[in-house]
Amino acid sequence: ASQNYLEYRCKNCGHLEDFQITHIRRDNAKCLNCLENKYIDIAQKLGYTLLGESGNGPCWRKYKRKACGHVSDIRIMRETHRVADSEKCEQCFVEWCETEADKQGLELLGKYENCGTFRLYRYKACGHDKKATPQAVARGAHECKVCIEEEYKQMAQERGLQYLGNCDPHIVNKRLFKLPCGCLKNLR
């Protein structure tokens, strides 16, 4: 034992650990072997196998999800975690996002910076990018705004009008057009 530390034996497992007397007084002395065994049990209950330490620091471990076999670095699983075996792991979720995007004619580019659940997608047909949630993509609740604007321009030109864009950001179903006489008008 080093300076100010004494060696103590754990009552539960018999392992020896070094603690300061203040750790004992404050009930802050935990057997690291027992703690690691507790993390193993929690992981088992949540459908994971604890493989060991990860390179991300002391609060992280490498886990293998039993349902899919994916290995991930996850913060230490404690009793407070609400992870269920039926939920998707991070890799399964990314695979699901890619599959749903492909079904909708999109390519998943990755997470959109600082936007929580939003991901960045690219339309395969036109090459334009779209920011959307994976759930919206799976439901088909998305459209290429750039292509729609191009379609509006084309339709206006065919009718002798000039398309000028949104008339008001608060009015989503009307656009501003310049009529052949030179007047401006909001039309659906």
Side-chain angles (χ1 to χ4, degrees):
S2 62
Q3 189 178 7
N4 296 331
Y5 282 82
L6 297 172
E7 195 171 60
Y8 293 89
R9 184 176 303 278
C10 178
K11 290 181 183 178
N12 297 332
C13 64
H15 291 112
L16 297 174
E17 296 284 343
D18 292 339
F19 297 108
Q20 290 182 347
I21 194 70
T22 56
H23 294 143
I24 305 299
R25 282 189 200 135
R26 294 180 181 162
D27 195 27
N28 196 20
K30 306 260 189 289
C31 174
L32 298 178
N33 288 304
C34 289
L35 196 57
E36 200 66 25
N37 288 335
K38 185 177 178 182
Y39 295 151
I40 290 169
D41 291 342
I42 292 167
Q44 290 288 333
K45 289 176 190 171
L46 297 174
Y48 288 82
T49 302
L50 178 61
L51 300 177
E53 293 189 18
S54 81
N56 292 339
C59 295
W60 292 79
R61 297 292 185 273
K62 195 168 282 304
Y63 291 94
K64 180 178 181 180
R65 188 167 180 262
K66 292 178 186 177
C68 61
H70 289 132
V71 175
S72 305
D73 288 348
I74 303 173
R75 289 184 72 75
I76 292 173
M77 291 184 177
R78 294 185 166 87
E79 295 91 344
T80 56
H81 277 72
R82 303 244 188 279
V83 180
D85 193 45
S86 61
E87 292 180 10
K88 295 177 181 76
C89 72
E90 184 66 26
Q91 287 171 281
C92 288
F93 182 68
V94 169
E95 289 172 6
W96 177 80
C97 290
E98 288 171 346
T99 302
E100 293 301 316
D102 191 51
K103 287 179 189 175
Q104 296 291 329
L106 296 165
E107 175 189 358
L108 176 66
L109 300 178
K111 260 190 159 176
Y112 193 76
E113 289 183 27
N114 301 324
C115 279
T117 60
F118 281 83
R119 303 290 189 269
L120 191 60
Y121 296 92
R122 179 167 291 141
Y123 285 94
K124 292 179 181 179
C126 63
H128 296 124
D129 291 348
K130 171 76 176 173
K131 178 180 74 169
T133 63
Q135 293 77 10
V137 168
R139 285 192 318 269
H142 60 87
E143 57 189 9
C144 180
K145 301 290 187 193
V146 177
C147 288
I148 289 172
E149 291 294 311
E150 292 296 322
E151 187 180 330
Y152 290 159
K153 286 179 189 175
Q154 184 65 33
M155 286 172 34
Q157 193 174 20
E158 290 171 0
R159 289 165 179 78
L161 304 172
Q162 183 182 357
Y163 177 75
L164 301 175
N166 285 342
C167 57
D168 183 344
H170 303 292
I171 303 173
V172 295
N173 62 345
K174 290 190 176 185
R175 300 290 185 267
L176 184 62
F177 294 90
K178 186 175 184 180
L179 304 175
C181 62
C183 296
L184 301 178
K185 184 155 185 163
N186 293 327
L187 300 170
R188 289 181 193 264

